[in-house]
């Protein structure tokens, strides 16, 4: 099984009232799973810069008030595909600069489109790292970050 260095990603929970912006992934990783806008941290980039860039690239939206809520450490093993991936994911919360902005699907090869989902009625299946964080009590509408 091929094993590489851990990758760092930022997942952006854009909150609007009691709703989150979520899309159905079409990329090879977590294909057909629902996720918030997210992507890899680029060299020299802050978490906030990555969040801003990924949201703009994927949805065309402008965000502000970016806050780190939780950091997850995820190991994905797929024996059938002979694949192992290790991701450190920074979960951040943000709000829209203009609450009337409408999300666009700027990467249709990676996502079916974006919709606002009520926190109490999230789509299924969620990407594993999001599902696990929620099971552990993560809530993007509350302050979750714990210092160690």
């Amino acid at each position: 099984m091929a094993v590489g260095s851990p990758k760092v990603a930022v997942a952006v929970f854009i909150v609007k009232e009691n709703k989150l912006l979520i899309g159905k992934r079409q990329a090879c990783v977590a294909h057909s799973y629902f996720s918030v806008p997210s992507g890899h941290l680029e060299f020299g980039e802050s978490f906030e810069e990555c969040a801003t860039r990924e949201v703009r690239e994927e949805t065309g939206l402008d965000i502000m008030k970016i806050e780190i809520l939780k950091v997850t450490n995820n190991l994905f093993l797929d024996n059938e595909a002979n694949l192992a991936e290790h991701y450190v994911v920074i979960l951040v919360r943000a709000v829209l600069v203009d609450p009337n902005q409408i999300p666009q699907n700027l990467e249709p090869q990676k996502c079916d489109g974006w919709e606002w989902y009520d926190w109490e009625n999230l789509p299924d299946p969620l990407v594993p790292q999001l599902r696990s964080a929620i099971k552990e009590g993560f809530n993007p509408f509350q302050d979750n970050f714990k210092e160690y």
Side-chain angles (χ1 to χ4, degrees), residues 18-123:
N18 199 42
K19 297 180 189 279
L20 292 174
L21 187 67
I22 297 177
K24 189 173 187 181
R25 296 177 52 90
Q26 293 306 314
C28 57
V29 177
H31 181 78
S32 296
Y33 281 75
F34 289 90
S35 180
V36 297
S38 58
H40 294 103
L41 184 70
E42 293 184 356
F43 183 83
E45 203 172 38
S46 71
F47 301 139
E48 295 82 1
E49 289 167 338
C50 180
T52 299
R53 177 183 52 77
E54 286 292 344
V55 168
R56 192 172 294 131
E57 286 176 0
E58 295 178 12
T59 70
L61 298 173
D62 295 313
I63 57 173
M64 64 181 188
K65 297 184 180 176
I66 301 165
E67 302 173 81
I68 297 171
L69 297 180
K70 183 175 179 71
V71 177
T72 64
N73 190 23
N74 308 278
L75 188 60
F76 303 103
L77 302 174
D78 185 340
N79 291 324
E80 290 179 24
N82 198 31
L83 178 70
E85 291 191 307
H86 183 180
Y87 271 91
V88 174
V89 182
I90 314 303
L91 307 181
V92 303
R93 171 177 53 214
V95 297
L96 296 174
V97 170
D98 174 0
N100 297 315
Q101 282 181 292
I102 297 172
Q104 304 167 56
N105 189 14
L106 298 179
E107 295 181 329
Q109 73 282 10
K110 295 181 180 179
C111 180
D112 273 350
W114 300 100
E115 300 289 335
W116 293 101
Y117 287 91
D118 189 89
W119 175 245
E120 301 299 326
N121 192 26
L122 297 175

Side-chain angles (χ1 to χ4, degrees), residues 30 33-34 74 76 125-134:
Y33 281 75
F34 289 90
N74 308 278
F76 303 103
L126 293 171
V127 290
Q129 62 271 31
L130 177 52
R131 186 176 58 240
S132 295
I134 291 170

